[in-house]
Amino acid sequence: MNLQDIYKNVLVKHYREQHGATLKEPFIFESVKVSPTCGDEINLRIHDSSDKCCDISYEISGCTVSQSSSSIMYDLCQGKTIPEVMELYRQVVDFMNDKTSTAPESLGDVSAFDEVRRYQGRIRCVLLSWEALIVSLQSLEKK
Amino acid sequence: MVLSSRIKNDFKIFENYKNEVGSELIYLDSAATTQKPYQVINAEVDFLTNSNAAAHRGSYRLSEKASVCLEDARLSVANFLKVGTSEIVFTKSATESLNLLAYSFGNASEKCEKEKIFKLSVGDEIVVTEMEHHANLVPWQELCRRTGAVLKWIQCTKEGVLDLSDLSKVITARCKILAITHQSNSVGTVNPVEFLVEKARHVGALVVLDACQSASRIPLDLIKLDVDFAVFSGHKMLGPTGIGVLYGRRKYLEAMPPFLFGGSMIENVFMNTSTYVTSVSRFEPGVPMTSQAVGLCAAIRYLEKYGMNRVYQHELDLTSYALKKLSAIPDIQLLGPLEAEKRPGVVAFNLGSIHSHDVGQALDGFNIAVRVGHHCAKPLLRKMGVKGSVRASFHIYNDLSDVDKLVDGLLYTHKAFKEMGMFL
């Protein structure tokens, strides 16, 4: 195992300088998602009720992978519509579960998780923030 | 070391792992589950290939043979704990044993004289500690929710030991149950059980002991400890998964209402009512897990071959060595007591600001298996001010070279993460 293959520079950069990682007020929806296995926890807020889901903010306590993934998710989802976010989530899940696939350009820095995909436990770390966002959007739609 | 490194040869997984992966497995997660010697595996295989039948169900000789196997296992457990066979219940696990107690107490009726001692009313108190595994916390939370009893706890210090300074305010006259861990699974702290039992006796409370971690490390004498109930799991003491033990004083087991209902635990069944046996079978519905009990019996015999005093000394020696070597690693933050005798067999730490999952990932690259995260003990970690930790835990198949490899792995990890700029 080469740690540099797993912890690529771009991931470490997102980890050290996370984007969107300060909870903002006011918000229209808030959710907390906890990983039952490792205890990583994200508190995610949505600040817009229109079709766009821009202005996500969050606070996360977790490993390098979950923290960097949250930052990347923020970059990708800001300014996107809800259907666009859902499609991005689907692509992230597909990419993380298919270890042979190449990440589409639309996923941007998610491609840096290609070596992380080899470790089933770390896939959950990548998806934690995405799942928090998707569940929040789905709950908002039902309201 | 009091135990020879050759013991590892009895655990075939180490050879198989090396053959498959090309490198040695450094298994330091025995607090989660232990590896199994071939003697335990062969005992189960032998039962399944030569004696398998439904114990206590059939009238044919093979069933009787299975019954003898089951009861021999029960006797071995009873002798191991220095108690009687009528005080040993086989369950699926320690978690099930604890839930059995909580549900049984919750089912106790005030109208039944013998069940009154277990009955919880509004305002009664259940006392646990802040270092409990979730399995010895959540069932009691739920029991309080069902009965109106109040959950209280003995707090821990940031060093991961019990704060015994204000016990009289915690264990009061309203305390009906004191449920405590003998040894913390997350940092390894051994608690003063006899001292706490004395406090419980003073107020007339029942005592439940979680012996999951201690049963395979520390010589146990439940009579001396004077607890009313104790639980542990087979898989944490070289035995198979799927078997746990509940020890209960005979007078209590005979009085407690059942938890699970079905075959084997009944005396007579009509369409609208049933009666139940008074023996431990009352808590063992269904066909018994005999092959697992046979495996547990073989595990106990394996441990007794070396003697629990030697096993304990072995754990102490490894822990002492580990604490000394780990303390020299840059940015290491050791958690829990600093003396091996206060936490035999378990060490816990963090590496600076690096998340435990990242440390665990790096160590896995050296085939070092440790546990990371909250260890199902979130309240204790919260009290110690950490979100997670790395835990290395030992057993008789470990030796000093395993500790050396752990230290080498951590030194490499520290250097690598430092160079990558991951320390905040």
Side-chain angles (χ1 to χ4, degrees):
Chain A
M1 179 193 295
N2 187 341
L3 288 177
Q4 279 86 355
D5 289 341
I6 299 171
Y7 299 100
K8 294 191 166 65
N9 285 342
V10 64
L11 294 191
V12 176
K13 193 156 181 261
H14 274 285
Y15 167 67
R16 291 190 65 91
E17 299 158 11
Q18 287 174 64
H19 304 152
T22 307
L23 288 172
K24 296 193 309 190
E25 304 266 3
F27 58 90
I28 55 166
F29 195 83
E30 181 177 44
S31 69
V32 175
K33 185 156 174 69
V34 181
S35 166
T37 43
C38 66
D40 285 0
E41 184 172 324
I42 183 167
N43 183 355
L44 185 136
R45 289 178 175 170
I46 296 177
H47 303 277
D48 195 311
S49 63
S50 68
D51 203 32
K52 292 202 181 344
C53 71
C54 60
D55 260 355
I56 308 161
S57 68
Y58 66 90
E59 204 168 69
I60 184 165
S61 164
C63 62
T64 309
V65 171
S66 63
Q67 291 199 49
S68 56
S69 182
S70 305
S71 177
I72 293 169
M73 174 209 72
Y74 177 86
D75 285 350
L76 287 175
C77 294
Q78 281 296 95
K80 297 284 197 310
T81 64
I82 292 176
E84 284 171 336
V85 167
M86 295 296 186
E87 174 58 20
L88 280 169
Y89 171 64
R90 188 193 63 75
Q91 289 178 13
V92 169
V93 171
D94 284 350
F95 172 68
M96 292 306 297
N97 287 316
D98 180 356
K99 295 169 189 18
T100 59
S101 66
T102 309
E105 264 191 54
S106 52
L107 287 189
D109 288 345
V110 170
S111 60
F113 291 120
D114 60 339
E115 270 300 302
V116 173
R117 293 185 291 178
R118 292 175 56 203
Y119 306 95
Q120 194 61 34
R122 300 323 285 277
I123 294 176
R124 285 192 288 267
C125 303
V126 172
L127 296 178
L128 180 72
S129 52
W130 286 94
E131 287 167 356
L133 175 57
I134 298 308
V135 163
S136 299
L137 291 175
Q138 287 171 340
S139 301
L140 253 184
E141 271 193 327
K142 284 180 191 158
K143 271 188 158 183
Chain B
M1 302 293 297
V2 295
L3 295 176
S4 162
S5 301
R6 284 195 301 277
I7 284 178
K8 207 172 233 174
N9 296 335
D10 287 345
F11 297 80
K12 299 303 174 192
I13 194 168
F14 291 105
E15 182 188 323
N16 292 341
Y17 186 98
K18 192 170 181 180
N19 289 339
E20 185 186 328
V21 174
S23 297
E24 212 182 323
L25 170 64
I26 313 301
Y27 189 77
L28 301 176
D29 199 19
S30 294
T33 199
T34 53
Q35 299 302 345
K36 323 301 172 194
Y38 73 83
Q39 292 88 339
V40 166
I41 298 167
N42 286 355
E44 269 204 82
V45 171
D46 180 64
F47 170 78
L48 289 168
T49 49
N50 294 308
S51 309
N52 184 53
H56 298 311
R57 288 278 179 112
S59 57
Y60 46 94
R61 282 165 294 161
L62 189 61
S63 175
E64 285 171 10
K65 200 175 170 193
S67 304
V68 167
C69 288
L70 180 70
E71 296 310 319
D72 272 352
R74 197 185 308 273
L75 178 62
S76 73
V77 173
N79 289 342
F80 184 71
L81 300 174
K82 300 178 178 40
V83 298
T85 53
S86 59
E87 300 179 307
I88 297 296
V89 176
F90 284 131
T91 62
K92 194 177 75 219
S93 62
T95 299
E96 182 176 289
S97 299
L98 290 163
N99 277 276
L100 184 161
L101 288 174
Y103 271 98
S104 178
F105 295 165
N107 289 342
S109 166
E110 193 145 298
K111 294 177 188 163
C112 177
E113 191 60 39
K114 64 178 183 172
E115 291 179 7
K116 268 186 186 175
I117 186 171
F118 312 114
K119 176 84 182 123
L120 286 162
S121 303
V122 173
D124 283 341
E125 293 168 356
I126 300 177
V127 176
V128 296
T129 78
E130 209 171 10
M131 67 167 70
E132 297 306 321
H133 185 286
H134 298 162
N136 198 30
L137 169 59
V138 181
W140 306 117
Q141 289 175 346
E142 287 294 307
L143 181 58
C144 285
R145 191 180 57 75
R146 287 198 300 273
T147 60
V150 174
L151 188 75
K152 294 170 77 172
W153 52 93
I154 305 170
Q155 295 211 26
C156 288
T157 67
K158 285 192 170 167
E159 290 72 37
V161 297
L162 291 182
D163 180 354
L164 304 175
S165 57
D166 238 344
L167 262 190
S168 58
K169 288 191 182 148
V170 183
I171 305 177
T172 71
R174 294 224 62 172
C175 177
K176 295 294 284 276
I177 300 165
L178 174 67
I180 53 175
T181 183
H182 194 176
Q183 181 177 23
S184 160
N185 72 298
S186 53
V187 295
T189 308
V190 176
N191 288 322
V193 173
E194 289 172 72
F195 171 77
L196 291 168
V197 168
E198 196 191 316
K199 299 296 176 196
R201 294 284 168 255
H202 188 64
V203 299
L206 295 171
V207 181
V208 177
L209 185 71
D210 175 357
C212 278
Q213 296 299 326
S214 57
S216 76
R217 294 202 176 90
I218 302 171
L220 274 189
D221 181 341
L222 293 187
I223 300 300
K224 187 163 175 273
L225 288 179
D226 195 31
V227 297
D228 300 301
F229 301 95
V231 308
F232 60 88
S233 290
H235 72 92
K236 289 195 200 290
M237 51 189 295
L238 313 186
T241 47
I243 183 107
V245 169
L246 165 65
Y247 156 75
R249 287 189 202 274
R250 184 174 169 170
K251 60 178 180 179
Y252 293 143
L253 288 181
E254 285 178 350
M256 279 161 55
F259 161 45
L260 293 173
F261 300 84
S264 300
M265 50 79 66
I266 52 91
E267 187 181 53
N268 214 343
V269 178
F270 301 92
M271 279 311 297
N272 56 0
T273 188
S274 299
T275 56
Y276 312 116
V277 295
T278 53
S279 66
V280 291
S281 298
R282 197 158 81 266
F283 300 104
E284 296 180 354
V287 173
M289 61 286 266
T290 308
S291 73
Q292 291 95 323
V294 165
L296 176 57
C297 178
I300 286 173
R301 288 189 180 147
Y302 187 88
L303 285 169
E304 286 177 333
K305 182 172 73 175
Y306 296 103
M308 286 307 297
N309 286 322
R310 289 174 76 201
V311 172
Y312 176 60
Q313 188 59 51
H314 184 79
E315 298 266 19
L316 277 184
D317 292 344
L318 283 168
T319 309
S320 181
Y321 185 69
L323 288 169
K324 184 178 158 197
K325 297 280 282 189
L326 287 170
S327 63
I329 294 174
D331 293 313
I332 202 87
Q333 178 197 3
L334 290 172
L335 302 170
L338 297 176
E339 303 86 353
E341 59 273 13
K342 291 184 179 171
R343 39 107 55 95
V346 180
V347 292
F349 53 89
N350 276 312
L351 192 62
S353 61
I354 304 296
H355 193 277
S356 59
H357 203 161
D358 295 308
V359 175
Q361 171 98 63
L363 291 176
D364 185 37
F366 295 101
N367 302 295
I368 300 171
V370 294
R371 174 91 184 261
V372 300
H374 57 70
H375 314 295
C376 301
K378 280 188 169 189
L380 176 60
L381 266 65
R382 221 173 269 129
K383 178 48 82 70
M384 292 194 297
V386 298
K387 299 279 182 167
S389 68
V390 182
R391 180 190 72 191
S393 49
F394 312 113
H395 217 282
I396 61 173
Y397 35 71
N398 295 117
D399 57 31
L400 298 179
S401 72
D402 290 336
V403 177
D404 289 334
K405 291 185 176 81
L406 170 66
V407 171
D408 288 343
L410 285 168
L411 286 170
Y412 173 89
T413 300
H414 181 273
K415 184 167 179 284
F417 282 152
K418 199 93 176 172
E419 285 169 0
M420 285 191 275
M422 279 172 61
F423 277 85
L424 296 176

